[in-house]
């Protein structure tokens, strides 16, 4: 039996084109041995959820700097649930005020990484919190 | 198995889970594949290979859109290389296919090679079987495209498209090594660039030189994928090639060969696995290794004794 | 510049010093690093002397301010005459809100406006588009039609201010709206001053707000060059931007190289479209970033100026000195700001301001301390503006032109950066120019490589960012952040619906059809866009017509 790889969808929801953070995270996760599927820019919540299902990812990691996180992140979580992906770990990052974090967590985003977070913190969080899917 | 039924009814989540199971060689995968096997054999499997930067993903995107217009369903397997150092991978082919994300008649799956050479992932053939059994009319496999020999694709696809572009340095030289022989259809993509005609002529010359030229007349198609130029023609050629395979009996012959290699591959794989596990269990392999390194024994004698013991 | 014999003597003396004094000092305590390397990968020596400038020729390398090769500045008297334009990028929520902020900034002594548009506007979607939801008014102001633009500039006389608009893919539409607002104020187009960013290549390479594929995008850009050279002569038709390339993670050398390579592509496109280089090149402007490494940044600006002058003179055979002048706007580096201990950002911005001013910028935006957290509040915007004013009025650095010239270090760095940038430009030339290099993902990959390397340096502690990976403290969450009320989206959509109901929809339809026809041909589209805008066709409607004809760009992602 081969070792199971953690599969992560790195997604850019909304119209924001700043993908430096997303690309750095994608590389860091790859270097940590994960399989990273990169969505590209301007993904709607529907597209992100569909990609997550088709790719059977363990983690959906979203990056957003435009301030639309309160609108878009919960929508993705909700769509994932509707599609039966209850076990997927959803994390977010970007320019997100601390005061928005409780709301996003309540909506099912497991963790929010704000600017300056080392990639090692993200990797560790994913490794410790990813749920093993069951048949 | 419930998951197999669900997958066969088109449940995307079930299909995706099944591919993961087989990819990770998890318990239940073998059973599921067994259950699905009887339903395979209906899909037309199309391989797309070519050097990096030849626009394979964009072309795939357009070909699939054209097939969707013709009411066909398509599964796409996009393979990217796994880092040999970390085991990780960045799979970026979806980016160019993101319009297809929400199409109910399309399923896209990105796969890392996970240590396999030859342009495909270890589990690609499992994924092909699963998509085939789930009723997709077409299965597109996009290879790594590292420019090395991408011979695996012939063992998996019915029709192989070799994509090249003008301006890749030595143009044709870049794809000549190994992969010219495997193509059924040749596409010169980004044909709006200078030098496209030259690439076509060079391809024609090379195909003429091919001594074992069968009755299939290799099409060479110029495409500009983002503008949809040459896309319909390529799709027509894909269909024509399938008809040719069917009528000439070549399809059956290819599939027989394919199954032969697949079985041998699986046997080899499982035998190796069985052996490694056995040796590890017994715990004496390291000692044997020491003996070989210290010239007390030689590797050939050791191999012989291991095989005799195992196959007894 | 120096006497050869003297240099020999100095070189010998330096060697003696190194073998004696320095060796002794090193034996007592090591230096902080084995090797000091700046972000551009240039090795920084312990000491610079005339030896490093042995082949330096003052006249050809520096010359005089206002003269070729413009290393020392584009104007003869620089800030002794007039300070740079202090221009804070601002805009959020609705046109009404932004209009208020602009009037506030003008009252505070700001000398030019800089309009930030929200993402739907930047990517050509109306506020009622499904994809715009959640983004309306967030990173800038929402502009759907001329009606919004009229409100945005209400009470601001457009013949008196200069306005910079950060707009790229739909730049022609927003420029048309600006011209139409001016018409309503009774101001003719030839009286307008300002800049549109209009730099699509860096959108593909670094910023992501593209709409159309490269070819039609380049056409729209050259259409603007041509239209403005005839109708809006004082308008800066493009702001070729390194800012976002740097923000995406490039080095300083890459910032110069990729920006000038884009510049070369625009000049080539305009010449190919039949224009004479001296008819438009004087209206090209640039936009750079300013980071913390003071000397590297100063050298970067000087190197960019010299390199561009040479490119315009030698490669494009420009005759008019104005065509060779690299005039630029600067914004301090957004990604250098930390969310941790945000007050420290004021000090960072001060250093970056100094770098921009010592580098000879024509206008400057200073970031607010809270930008790593959210949109800046009014208070933090004022501090940022005051930073510029303190440097201008109190620091004394503006009293002489190019005060760092002649520094052995700064001149050596300027040479090294120019060389590095030129190497990149040659590589891009070999790939067939900037458009091809972007299509092949070359520039994107170079930037991504640099940004990942930088991140790894921070995480390994090799590079220290104060408050982030050293000197951290426990902090309370920051309060009083500026938030855009979610009601803004609904209000904007309502306004748009009402506008659509009240306008002359027959006229809109016919103007859009005319534009569609024109887009299929190869004439200048500006007059058609202007016509459509005047009858209140929305930005989204116009972009949709063009999307239909031109198609949409799909990125190459090279990670």
């Amino acid at each position: 039996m081969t070792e199971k790889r953690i599969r992560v969808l790195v997604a850019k929801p909304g119209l924001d084109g700043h993908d430096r953070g997303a690309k750095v995270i994608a590389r860091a996760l790859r270097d940590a041995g994960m399989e990273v599927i990169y969505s590209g820019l301007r993904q709607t919540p529907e597209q992100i959820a569909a990609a997550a299902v088709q790719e059977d990812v363990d983690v959906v990691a979203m990056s957003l700097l435009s301030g639309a996180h309160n609108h878009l992140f919960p929508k993705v979580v909700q769509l994932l649930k509707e599609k039966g992906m209850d076990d997927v770990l959803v994390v977010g990052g970007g320019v997100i005020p601390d005061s928005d974090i409780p709301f996003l967590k309540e909506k099912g985003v497991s963790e929010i990484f704000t600017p300056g977070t080392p990639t090692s913190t993200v990797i560790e969080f994913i490794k410790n919190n990813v749920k093993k899917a069951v048949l | 198995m419930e998951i197999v039924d669900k997958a066969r009814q088109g449940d995307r989540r079930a299909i995706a889970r099944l591919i993961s199971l087989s990819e990770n060689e998890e318990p239940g995968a073998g059973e599921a594949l067994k259950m699905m096997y009887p339903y395979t054999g209906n899909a037309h499997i199309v391989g797309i290979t070519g050097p990096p930067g030849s626009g394979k993903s964009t072309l795939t995107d357009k070909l699939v859109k054209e097939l969707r217009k013709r009411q066909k369903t398509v599964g796409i397997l996009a393979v990217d290389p796994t880092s040999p150092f970390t085991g990780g991978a960045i799979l970026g082919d979806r980016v160019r296919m993101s319009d297809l994300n929400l199409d109910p008649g399309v399923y896209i799956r990105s796969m890392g090679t996970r240590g396999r050479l030859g342009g495909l992932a270890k589990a690609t053939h499992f994924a092909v079987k699963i998509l085939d059994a789930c009723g997709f009319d077409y299965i597109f496999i996009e290879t790594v495209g590292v420019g090395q020999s991408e011979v695996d694709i012939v063992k998996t696809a019915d029709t192989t498209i070799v994509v090249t572009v003008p301006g890749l340095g030595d143009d044709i030289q870049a794809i000549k090594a190994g992969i010219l022989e495997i193509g059924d259809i040749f596409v010169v993509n980004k044909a709006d660039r200078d030098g496209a005609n030259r690439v076509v002529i060079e391809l024609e010359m090379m195909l003429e030189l091919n001594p074992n030229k069968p009755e299939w007349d290799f099409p060479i198609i110029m495409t500009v994928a983002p503008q949809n130029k040459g896309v319909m023609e390529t799709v027509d050629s894909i269909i024509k090639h399938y008809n040719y395979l069917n009528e000439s009996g070549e399809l059956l012959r290819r599939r027989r060969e394919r199954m032969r290699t697949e079985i041998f591959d699986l046997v080899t794989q499982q035998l190796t696995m069985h052996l490694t596990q056995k040796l590890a269990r017994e715990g004496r392999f390291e000692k044997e290794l020491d003996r070989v390194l210290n010239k007390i024994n030689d590797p050939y004698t050791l191999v012989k004794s291991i095989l005799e013991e195992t196959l007894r | 510049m120096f006497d050869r014999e003297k240099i020999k003597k100095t070189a010998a003396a330096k060697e003696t010093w190194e073998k004696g004094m320095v060796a002794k000092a090193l034996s007592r305590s090591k230096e902080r690093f084995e090797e000091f390397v700046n972000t551009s990968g240039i090795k920084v020596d312990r000491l610079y002397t005339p030896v490093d400038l042995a082949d330096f020729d003052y006249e050809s390398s520096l010359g005089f301010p206002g003269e070729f090769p413009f290393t020392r500045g584009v104007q003869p008297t620089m800030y002794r005459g007039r300070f740079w334009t202090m221009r804070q990028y601002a805009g959020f929520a609705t046109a009404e809100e932004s209009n208020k902020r602009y009037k506030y900034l003008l009252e505070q002594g700001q000398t030019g406006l800089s309009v930030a548009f929200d993402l739907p506007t930047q990517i050509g979607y109306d506020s009622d588009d499904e994809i715009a939801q959640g983004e309306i008014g967030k990173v800038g102001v929402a502009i759907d039609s001329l009606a919004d633009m009229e409100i945005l500039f209400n009470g601001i006389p457009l013949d008196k201010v200069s306005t910079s608009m950060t707009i790229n893919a739909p730049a022609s539409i927003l420029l048309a709206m600006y011209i139409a607002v001016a018409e309503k104020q009774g101001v003719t187009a030839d009286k307008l001053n300002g800049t549109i960013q209009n730099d699509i290549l860096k959108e593909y390479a670094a910023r992501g707000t593209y709409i159309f594929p490269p070819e039609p995008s380049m056409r729209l850009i050259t259409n603007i060059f041509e239209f403005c050279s005839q109708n809006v002569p004082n308008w800066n038709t493009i702001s070729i931007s390194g800012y976002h390339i740097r923000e995406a993670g490039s080095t300083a050398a890459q910032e110069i190289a990729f920006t000038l390579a884009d510049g070369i592509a625009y000049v080539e496109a305009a010449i190919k479209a039949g224009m004479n280089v001296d008819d438009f090149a004087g209206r090209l402007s640039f936009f750079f970033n300013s980071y913390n490494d003071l000397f590297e940044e100063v050298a970067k600006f000087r190197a960019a100026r010299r390199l561009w002058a040479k490119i315009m003179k030698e490669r494009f055979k420009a005759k008019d000195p104005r065509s060779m002048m690299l005039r630029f706007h600067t914004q301090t580096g957004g990604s250098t700001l930390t969310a941790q201990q945000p007050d420290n950002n004021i000090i960072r911005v001060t250093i970056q301001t100094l770098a921009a001013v010592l580098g000879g910028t024509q206008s400057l935006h200073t970031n607010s301390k809270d930008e790593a957290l959210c949109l800046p509040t009014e208070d933090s915007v004022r501090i940022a503006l005051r930073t510029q004013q303190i440097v201008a009025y109190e620091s004394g650095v503006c009293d002489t032109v190019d005060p760092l010239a002649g520094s052995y270090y700064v001149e050596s760095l300027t040479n090294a950066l120019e060389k590095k940038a030129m190497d990149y430009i040659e590589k891009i030339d070999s790939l067939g120019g900037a458009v091809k290099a972007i299509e092949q993902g070359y520039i994107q990959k170079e930037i991504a490589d640099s940004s990942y390397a930088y991140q790894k340096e921070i995480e390994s502690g090799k590079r220290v960012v104060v408050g982030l990976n050293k000197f951290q403290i426990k902090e309370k969450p920051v309060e009083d952040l500026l938030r855009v009320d979610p009601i803004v989206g609904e209000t904007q959509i309502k306004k748009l619906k009402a506008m659509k109901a009240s306008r002359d929809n027959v006229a809109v339809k016919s103007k859009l059809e005319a534009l569609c026809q024109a887009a299929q041909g190869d004439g200048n589209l500006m007059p058609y866009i202007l016509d459509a805008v005047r009858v209140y066709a929305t930005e989204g409607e116009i972009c949709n017509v063009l999307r239909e004809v031109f198609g949409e760009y799909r990125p190459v992602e090279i990670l």
Side-chain angles (χ1 to χ4, degrees), chain B residues 145-206:
Chain B
V146 281
Q148 303 163 354
S149 69
E150 310 257 316
V151 284
D152 271 6
I153 195 71
V154 202
K155 294 190 215 153
T156 313
D158 301 319
T159 302
T160 299
I161 303 177
V162 172
V163 187
T164 186
V165 283
L168 276 181
D170 278 335
D171 291 345
I172 285 309
Q173 299 304 328
I175 62 156
K176 198 169 134 191
I179 60 174
L180 200 60
E181 293 84 16
I182 66 177
D184 300 303
I185 295 168
F186 293 87
V187 166
V188 180
N189 197 19
K190 306 188 182 178
D192 52 347
R193 288 194 187 167
D194 292 341
N197 285 320
R198 210 187 79 216
V199 178
V200 172
I201 292 166
E202 283 182 47
L203 272 173
E204 276 169 354
M205 280 163 57
M206 269 169 198

Side-chain angles (χ1 to χ4, degrees), chain C residues 42-330:
Chain C
I42 296 166
K43 208 176 133 240
V44 178
D45 290 338
R46 179 175 299 116
L47 188 81
Y48 288 82
T49 66
V51 182
D52 297 288
L53 299 178
D55 300 315
F56 190 78
D57 175 57
Y58 180 82
E59 303 279 324
S60 64
S61 299
L62 300 186
F64 291 89
E67 285 177 12
F68 184 85
F70 304 100
T71 317
R72 306 204 61 178
V74 293
Q75 295 125 1
T77 62
M78 288 302 289
Y79 311 132
R80 285 167 68 98
R82 171 171 92 70
F83 293 127
W84 59 93
T85 305
M86 299 178 192
R87 197 194 290 278
Q88 300 295 92
Y89 181 57
F92 63 101
T94 55
E96 287 88 350
E97 290 270 358
S98 296
N99 177 262
K100 265 192 238 161
R101 174 71 71 95
Y102 296 154
K103 285 180 175 161
Y104 171 81
L105 286 167
L106 292 171
E107 280 163 24
Q108 292 300 310
Q110 177 166 301
T111 46
L113 294 177
S114 176
V115 184
F117 296 100
D118 71 356
L119 284 166
T121 307
Q122 292 187 49
I123 309 177
Y125 295 110
D126 284 342
S127 298
D128 57 356
D129 201 301
E130 176 55 36
I131 202 164
Q133 302 320 303
E135 310 265 21
I136 304 164
K138 283 276 159 62
V139 302
V141 57
I143 298 292
D144 290 318
S145 75
L146 180 60
D148 296 319
M149 206 70 159
E150 287 164 2
I151 299 165
L152 190 66
F153 293 105
N154 183 28
I156 300 171
L158 297 190
D159 52 345
K160 300 279 185 334
V161 292
S162 88
T163 303
S164 165
M165 294 192 276
T166 299
I167 195 76
N168 293 281
S172 48
I173 303 168
L174 275 299
L175 173 62
M177 287 183 188
Y178 192 80
I179 294 170
V181 172
E183 281 169 2
K184 299 216 159 178
Q185 288 188 0
V187 176
T188 49
D190 60 321
K191 300 273 185 330
L192 296 177
N193 272 292
T195 309
I196 38 174
Q197 199 160 74
N198 199 24
D199 171 13
I200 198 67
L201 292 177
K202 65 95 176 51
E203 296 296 334
Y204 303 131
R207 188 168 173 266
T209 63
Y210 41 73
I211 305 177
F212 315 112
E215 205 181 310
S217 295
M218 294 300 269
R219 172 187 173 190
L220 285 170
I221 290 167
T222 48
N223 282 177
I224 293 171
F225 288 180
E226 192 183 38
F227 178 85
C228 288
S229 75
Q230 291 154 12
N231 304 289
V232 206
N234 298 321
W235 197 264
N236 295 313
T237 49
I238 192 166
S239 172
I240 307 162
S241 305
Y243 181 81
H244 318 88
I245 290 170
R246 191 71 179 278
E247 286 298 290
S250 85
T251 67
Q254 288 171 338
E255 182 187 350
I256 310 178
F258 300 156
T259 310
L260 299 197
D262 288 350
I264 290 169
Y266 295 125
V267 173
E268 279 172 352
I271 291 173
K272 207 174 151 195
M275 297 179 72
N276 178 343
V277 64
D278 285 316
D279 287 346
F280 64 89
R283 297 317 312 174
L284 305 178
S285 65
F286 290 80
F287 174 19
F288 290 113
N289 211 315
S290 189
Y291 265 40
N292 290 329
D293 187 329
L294 182 70
F295 295 111
E296 185 183 18
E297 294 302 301
V298 173
K300 177 188 80 181
F301 297 123
R302 300 171 86 244
R305 225 168 10 237
R306 183 160 75 204
L307 189 50
W308 184 249
K310 288 187 202 162
I311 290 169
M312 289 311 289
K313 187 174 183 173
E314 289 156 17
R315 184 170 180 150
F316 294 113
K317 313 285 176 225
K319 300 271 182 308
D320 186 346
R322 288 184 348 127
S323 307
M324 305 169 204
M325 274 181 209
L326 181 144
R327 297 169 301 123
F328 67 101
H329 171 69
T330 307

Side-chain angles (χ1 to χ4, degrees), chain B residues 42-98:
Chain B
N42 301 314
H44 179 182
I45 302 157
V46 180
I48 300 197
T49 189
S54 53
K56 294 187 291 290
S57 303
T58 310
L59 183 67
T60 305
D61 177 69
K62 298 295 176 189
L63 294 175
V64 171
K65 280 181 184 146
E66 177 60 28
L67 282 166
R68 292 294 297 136
K69 272 191 212 152
R70 303 184 192 190
Q71 319 299 329
K72 302 293 182 192
T73 56
V74 189
I76 303 170
L77 300 170
V79 186
D80 274 324
T82 295
S83 156
F85 305 107
T86 65
I90 289 180
L91 314 173
D93 294 324
R94 284 194 90 91
V95 173
R96 284 170 292 267
M97 304 181 198
S98 63

Side-chain angles (χ1 to χ4, degrees), chain C residues 240-539:
Chain C
I240 307 162
S241 305
Y243 181 81
H244 318 88
I245 290 170
R246 191 71 179 278
E247 286 298 290
S250 85
T251 67
Q254 288 171 338
E255 182 187 350
I256 310 178
F258 300 156
T259 310
L260 299 197
D262 288 350
I264 290 169
Y266 295 125
V267 173
E268 279 172 352
I271 291 173
K272 207 174 151 195
M275 297 179 72
N276 178 343
V277 64
D278 285 316
D279 287 346
F280 64 89
R283 297 317 312 174
L284 305 178
S285 65
F286 290 80
F287 174 19
F288 290 113
N289 211 315
S290 189
Y291 265 40
N292 290 329
D293 187 329
L294 182 70
F295 295 111
E296 185 183 18
E297 294 302 301
V298 173
K300 177 188 80 181
F301 297 123
R302 300 171 86 244
R305 225 168 10 237
R306 183 160 75 204
L307 189 50
W308 184 249
K310 288 187 202 162
I311 290 169
M312 289 311 289
K313 187 174 183 173
E314 289 156 17
R315 184 170 180 150
F316 294 113
K317 313 285 176 225
K319 300 271 182 308
D320 186 346
R322 288 184 348 127
S323 307
M324 305 169 204
M325 274 181 209
L326 181 144
R327 297 169 301 123
F328 67 101
H329 171 69
T330 307
Q331 180 170 339
T332 57
S335 58
T336 67
L337 304 184
T338 60
Q340 296 73 18
Q341 305 176 42
D343 286 349
N344 293 346
N345 292 328
I346 299 174
I347 295 103
R348 293 194 176 96
V349 169
T350 309
I351 298 171
Q352 295 162 4
T353 300
L354 264 177
V357 170
L358 291 168
T361 194
Q362 276 59 62
S363 65
L364 179 63
H365 165 103
T366 36
N367 286 328
S368 302
K369 59 172 186 167
D370 46 6
E371 282 182 44
L373 301 164
C374 62
L375 283 174
T377 61
E378 208 157 87
D379 279 349
S380 62
V381 172
R382 192 182 54 243
I383 296 172
L385 179 59
R386 294 293 180 253
T387 307
Q388 296 198 36
Q389 291 161 338
I390 289 168
V391 168
Y393 291 96
E394 300 182 20
S395 75
V397 301
C398 306
D399 296 351
T400 185
V401 179
D402 190 26
L404 291 183
S407 148
Y408 308 123
Y409 179 36
V410 171
E411 296 302 353
S412 298
L413 264 182
T414 305
N415 291 343
L417 277 163
E418 184 184 1
K419 164 93 177 47
K420 268 218 143 161
M422 199 56 225
D423 290 347
Y424 271 117
I425 291 175
E426 276 165 13
K427 166 78 188 174
I428 291 166
D429 282 340
S430 78
L431 294 174
V435 179
K436 291 275 184 289
I438 287 165
E439 282 176 348
Q440 292 166 42
Y442 167 75
I443 291 177
Q444 297 90 311
K445 173 133 195 324
E446 286 293 312
I447 296 172
D449 286 350
S450 300
S451 98
Y452 193 45
Y454 182 82
Q455 179 68 23
K456 286 211 275 200
E457 279 179 18
I458 287 178
E459 293 192 17
S460 69
K462 200 174 151 199
R463 188 174 290 280
V464 171
V465 178
V466 173
L468 181 75
N469 61 356
K470 209 170 184 171
F471 315 114
Q472 299 103 318
I473 51 167
K474 268 247 163 298
E475 290 181 84
K476 273 190 289 184
V478 185
E479 312 268 329
D480 300 330
L481 300 176
L482 180 89
R483 283 175 177 279
V484 176
D485 194 332
I487 198 84
V488 161
E490 291 167 40
T491 319
Q492 184 66 19
I493 292 170
K494 257 190 226 152
K495 237 168 55 180
L496 174 63
K497 292 219 161 96
M499 188 283 297
K500 276 187 184 168
S502 66
R503 68 183 178 181
D504 178 353
N505 279 304
V506 178
V508 171
K509 198 163 170 249
S510 87
K511 299 298 179 195
L512 289 176
E513 266 165 20
L515 173 64
C516 184
Q517 284 289 325
Q520 288 166 45
D522 55 8
N524 196 322
L525 296 182
M526 270 309 284
Y528 297 92
I529 293 171
L530 200 47
D531 279 350
V533 159
R534 283 188 186 116
V535 296
Y536 297 88
T538 65
E539 193 217 17

Side-chain angles (χ1 to χ4, degrees), chain A residues 5 34-36 54-56, chain B residues 17 20 91 94 107 110:
Chain A
R5 305 283 205 293
M34 303 182 197
E35 281 186 355
V36 179
Q54 293 179 21
E55 297 289 356
D56 191 32
Chain B
R17 288 296 305 129
S20 298
L91 314 173
R94 284 194 90 91
Y107 173 88
S110 315

